[in-house]
Amino acid sequence: MDLEARNLSSSAWERPVLHFSRGLPGLERYRWFEVTPVPENHFFLMLQSREEEAVGMFLLDPFPFFPGYRCQLSTSDREDLELDDHQSPLIYTTVSIWNEEMFTNLAAPIGINVARRKGKQVYLPEYSKQLRVSLAEVLATAAGPKIAEPL
């Protein structure tokens, strides 16, 4: 995937808007989301509903933190995202906070087709036991360059 497609901050799109044709699990009625960087935090992005300001979630690029992580989309998921054979989606995991600890969901990442501005939360059965993976240790050891680029 070329870097220009990955980093749309240099394009005319100030805040990339994504369409989730089926919404997100638990948020099915919301279909349009903006992706924005989290101020003063280079690890996270914010996925914010355009229909309801109070609806949003943090996203994380999982690959720098979990080097062995693999995300093979099904044919159906690729079709829903309108990805052709030569396109790779952007993959982000959702982040939740529970009892003052942050977790990410490796089993159900968000796939994004940047060119078509389409998103979908997909399910990876091989990660079914990693619905809530603690980020405490991986974030404590993270240092270096910015890793989660805005779309």
Side-chain angles (χ1 to χ4, degrees), residues 13-34:
W13 290 68
E14 197 169 304
R15 288 183 165 182
V17 177
L18 301 174
H19 183 249
F20 288 75
S21 62
R22 296 183 186 127
L24 292 163
L27 302 170
E28 289 85 359
R29 67 184 234 189
Y30 306 107
R31 305 294 172 99
W32 296 96
F33 290 82
E34 290 180 344

Side-chain angles (χ1 to χ4, degrees), residues 20-147:
F20 288 75
S21 62
R22 296 183 186 127
L24 292 163
L27 302 170
E28 289 85 359
R29 67 184 234 189
Y30 306 107
R31 305 294 172 99
W32 296 96
F33 290 82
E34 290 180 344
V35 179
T36 58
V38 174
E40 300 181 32
N41 188 312
H42 60 268
F43 297 113
F44 301 101
L45 296 172
M46 183 68 178
L47 186 66
Q48 184 77 45
S49 170
R50 297 261 329 236
E51 292 121 334
E52 176 58 55
E53 188 175 313
V55 174
M57 65 186 71
F58 291 108
L59 300 179
L60 175 74
D61 178 352
F63 300 104
F65 298 108
F66 303 96
Y69 186 64
R70 299 290 176 261
C71 183
Q72 185 68 39
L73 298 185
S74 69
T75 301
S76 173
D77 291 336
R78 291 187 64 81
E79 288 171 0
D80 289 346
L81 288 169
E82 297 180 17
L83 292 164
D84 65 33
D85 293 340
H86 305 291
Q87 287 179 297
S88 296
L90 286 182
I91 300 294
Y92 290 100
T93 55
T94 59
V95 175
S96 60
I97 300 171
W98 188 69
N99 284 343
E100 299 183 24
E101 187 173 353
M102 292 186 356
F103 298 89
T104 195
N105 180 348
L106 296 177
I110 304 264
I112 298 171
N113 179 338
V114 175
R116 297 274 194 190
R117 305 278 196 246
K118 289 189 161 275
K120 180 181 182 184
Q121 189 164 20
V122 301
Y123 178 66
L124 305 175
E126 62 271 27
Y127 290 98
S128 64
K129 294 185 180 178
Q130 293 177 298
L131 291 169
R132 275 191 12 196
V133 177
S134 175
L135 290 175
E137 186 176 320
V138 294
L139 288 176
T141 60
K146 186 175 183 179
I147 60 159

